[in-house]
Amino acid sequence: MADHALLVEFGDVIDNHIHDRVLRLDMALISRPFEGFVEAVPAYASVLLRFDPLVTDHRTVQTKVAALIASCSDHVGAGSLREVAVCYDPEFAPDLAPIAEATGLAPEDVIQAHLSGDYSVFMYGFAPGYAYLAGVLGQIQMPRKDAAVRGIPAGSIIIAGPQCLVTTLTMPTGWWIIGRSPTKILDASSDERPFLFDVGDRVKFQRISRAQFDAGVGA
Amino acid sequence: MSEAVLSVHSAGPHVSIQDAGRFGFLRYGVPASGPMDRASFAAANIALGNQVNQPAVEISMGGLVLDCLTGSVTFAVAGGGFMLDLAGRKMGSWTIATLTEGQRLAIRPGHWGSWTYLAFAGELTAEKWLGSSSTHAMSGLGGGRLTAGTQLSVMEAAVRPEREGSIPCPVTARPKSELHVVLGPQDRFFSRKTIETFLASPYRLTDAYDRMGVRLQGAALKPDGLLNMPSEAIVRGSVQVAGDGVATVLLADHQTTGGYPKIATVLDVDLDAFAQLRPRDLVAFRQVTPAQALALTRMRAATAVRYLEAIAKPRGTLEQRLMSENLIGGVVDAHRSHDHASQGN
């Protein structure tokens, strides 16, 4: 891409096996960066590599990355397990009822299905701290809404298809809003750990009550 | 220790504090931000005798009017052909001058350019986020936007008469309407004919232009087939095509990932001058190979280094300059020296 980047694509679908290959290359780059390496951006099925065009070039980077991929270990280290608190109070979950209606489940079953998903961080993107979690159970997977809804507050738990996300900024979204989290995925005030997740981490949602949310539990 | 305090009387949209950028956080969804025209930003700092990464104010076509409440501070304005009014004295951008207590500085758009940079001799106090004062427009994190009433404080504010006068404006700072691109990474989503259209047709910048990117108007670039690629990382300069065939060139505050195909990527070295175009200006895309892209980048980097080295040297106070012209030319030609000083544009 242009004069300073290369995109390594491992496939064109959202798939655990493909994502493992993304994680392996990302880890290999972090432990054995090539000369001129600037940064890597792992996504669902690809890794973007930025390099310094004054130090190296596309062809050299391509050769080095091919060698890295060939020598990557087959093993992906399990990421850390992160806990995220979630409150499903109706005020925070305007879309629980429509999802229940669309899926034929009771609202409480939608909540239980959301809590029992096996989530992992596939990528960050779109906006600071927007971590895309894959692992929403099939029974509550919903297609995107036809139009985005404006002004959805930061901390909203939103789902679409197999994906779940905890928003970090007030923004419009076409995903379904099912709860709110006090857990900071993006902590603008922290220099030590400004982002809660690394790509590859696993995530468990912990339900909290409205009273706990208001008391700041899980923040 | 001296301090200069300035108050914003009025500011257009998209006026914000920027340093050289916030790098290394794309993987967390954070773009580099930083100046839309990085070369002009660097020129303002370097010509003033600052470090190249010091925070400065990025000014959009909406302009900025500042009042100096206390202190005195020398400032530089570089980027575009903006008009300055310093307490009644008219100047163009590409200027270094001194603002003193009670004076008003107005910076307004002139004949060309979309962005200009106001740097101060001293340390502009600015909030940092992730080690950088660059303002990320969507979140407002970093140094922040400037609006009426915002107060700016410059610590260690200095007056540097030996640097006052014009800054040479390099030709590379002019708006550039011919953009070099490398095709991809998703050119496979487009037919050969569509790619030929993209490379052969003029495109017009629209008013949908902010720090995230600029939407173009022109021949539609319909992607083939279904748009179901998984989201992937995007770089500044990506020419992203939405489902309706409309192209957007992504800029400093671009979203870091997207699921729309990118037909091509504009070379980084062309983006500063591209950002100085205005809505309704035309652009054309010229394909180069990755090897040609690298060659252009390296040549431009060498030119940029030579330029910055040249403007880094103080030109001397007016007295020193008159003295040296006296010694060289034998006579002082006041008219010529005045011309020289106002050559900013």
Side-chain angles (χ1 to χ4, degrees), chain A residues 149-161:
Chain A
V149 181
R150 294 188 154 272
I152 303 309
S156 295
I157 311 268
I158 58 178
I159 60 172

Side-chain angles (χ1 to χ4, degrees), chain A residues 21-87:
Chain A
R21 298 186 67 196
V22 167
L23 292 178
R24 285 202 289 270
L25 175 59
D26 186 45
M27 285 188 301
L29 283 163
I30 289 166
S31 57
R32 283 173 287 159
F34 55 84
E35 201 189 353
F37 171 75
V38 174
E39 67 185 312
V41 193
Y44 287 117
S46 62
V47 180
L48 173 85
L49 285 173
R50 290 195 53 238
F51 60 84
D52 180 348
L54 303 183
V55 174
T56 188
D57 57 49
H58 300 83
R59 193 164 297 186
T60 310
V61 172
Q62 204 170 337
T63 309
K64 291 188 173 162
V65 169
L68 268 183
I69 292 171
S71 69
C72 278
S73 76
D74 291 338
H75 183 70
V76 183
S80 307
L81 180 66
R82 308 283 177 193
E83 288 191 351
V84 174
V86 51
C87 173

